[in-house]
Amino acid sequence: MDVKHFFKARLDWFAKPKGTTRYVKNHSVTMEGKDPLRLSAAKAFKGDPTAYNPEDLLLSSVVSCHMMSYLFVCHQHGIEVISYQDEAQAVLEVGANYAGRITEVQLFPKVTIRQKDKIALALSLHTQANALCFIANSCNFPIVHSAICDYEE
């Protein structure tokens, strides 16, 4: 039996302020019980560079979900993760007709584990984590992992 979970978001945007010739791209998104997210278009598309944009949120969803899936599979294999960092990036391609899409996400996880003898296993588990990640399973672009792993006793 499959279990369904529902996530809801509220978006609020208002037309251009009086006296301006162009509409603004700033808006807010709120999820019940959480602080609102202040959003805009990316700076490259004349948005507010101090606000999050949809591309930021997509990338943060991929990198966050991968980490949580990775920690889960490490726990299943008895690997104690001490720290996890990632410097991820997304590649957005925009065509002449202004249609665009994310064509790839690159993850660069740097993981520190407790057991030196499990480094090879820890590195291999990124593939399993990707297969479990809800967000990765929802994407139509490749997610590439260039992971490194170290240990600390």
Side-chain angles (χ1 to χ4, degrees), residues 8-71:
K8 297 179 181 181
R10 175 187 167 139
L11 184 138
D12 289 300
W13 174 84
F14 297 97
K16 64 184 177 189
K18 291 182 180 180
T20 62
T21 58
R22 211 165 52 98
Y23 68 91
V24 295
K25 298 179 180 183
N26 291 25
H27 56 284
S28 68
V29 173
T30 307
M31 285 71 155
E32 187 176 328
K34 298 175 184 160
D35 292 336
L37 291 168
R38 193 173 65 84
L39 294 139
S40 188
K43 181 180 178 183
F45 306 109
K46 300 181 177 148
D48 180 349
T50 67
Y52 292 104
N53 59 62
E55 297 81 7
D56 290 335
L57 298 181
L58 187 145
L59 179 58
S60 67
S61 294
V62 171
V63 73
S64 177
C65 190
H66 180 80
M67 183 213 58
M68 289 185 279
S69 298
Y70 181 77
L71 293 175

Side-chain angles (χ1 to χ4, degrees), residues 6-150:
F6 296 88
F7 298 86
K8 297 179 181 181
R10 175 187 167 139
L11 184 138
D12 289 300
W13 174 84
F14 297 97
K16 64 184 177 189
K18 291 182 180 180
T20 62
T21 58
R22 211 165 52 98
Y23 68 91
V24 295
K25 298 179 180 183
N26 291 25
H27 56 284
S28 68
V29 173
T30 307
M31 285 71 155
E32 187 176 328
K34 298 175 184 160
D35 292 336
L37 291 168
R38 193 173 65 84
L39 294 139
S40 188
K43 181 180 178 183
F45 306 109
K46 300 181 177 148
D48 180 349
T50 67
Y52 292 104
N53 59 62
E55 297 81 7
D56 290 335
L57 298 181
L58 187 145
L59 179 58
S60 67
S61 294
V62 171
V63 73
S64 177
C65 190
H66 180 80
M67 183 213 58
M68 289 185 279
S69 298
Y70 181 77
L71 293 175
F72 173 74
V73 296
C74 281
H75 177 75
Q76 287 182 315
H77 287 84
I79 296 173
E80 184 181 350
V81 178
I82 297 170
S83 69
Y84 185 107
Q85 298 172 324
D86 203 331
E87 299 280 335
Q89 68 179 16
V91 179
L92 172 66
E93 293 184 11
V94 180
N97 64 354
Y98 302 107
R101 64 185 295 266
I102 301 291
T103 58
E104 179 178 79
V105 164
Q106 300 163 342
L107 303 180
F108 301 95
K110 181 180 179 187
V111 180
T112 303
I113 63 172
R114 185 77 62 200
Q115 307 100 317
K116 181 180 182 179
D117 62 324
K118 292 192 177 187
I119 288 177
L121 176 59
L123 284 168
S124 73
L125 291 178
H126 285 283
T127 301
Q128 187 178 350
N130 190 74
L132 290 176
C133 175
F134 305 149
I135 303 300
N137 287 326
S138 303
C139 295
N140 66 350
F141 49 81
I143 299 171
V144 180
H145 311 96
S146 298
I148 59 173
C149 185
D150 200 358

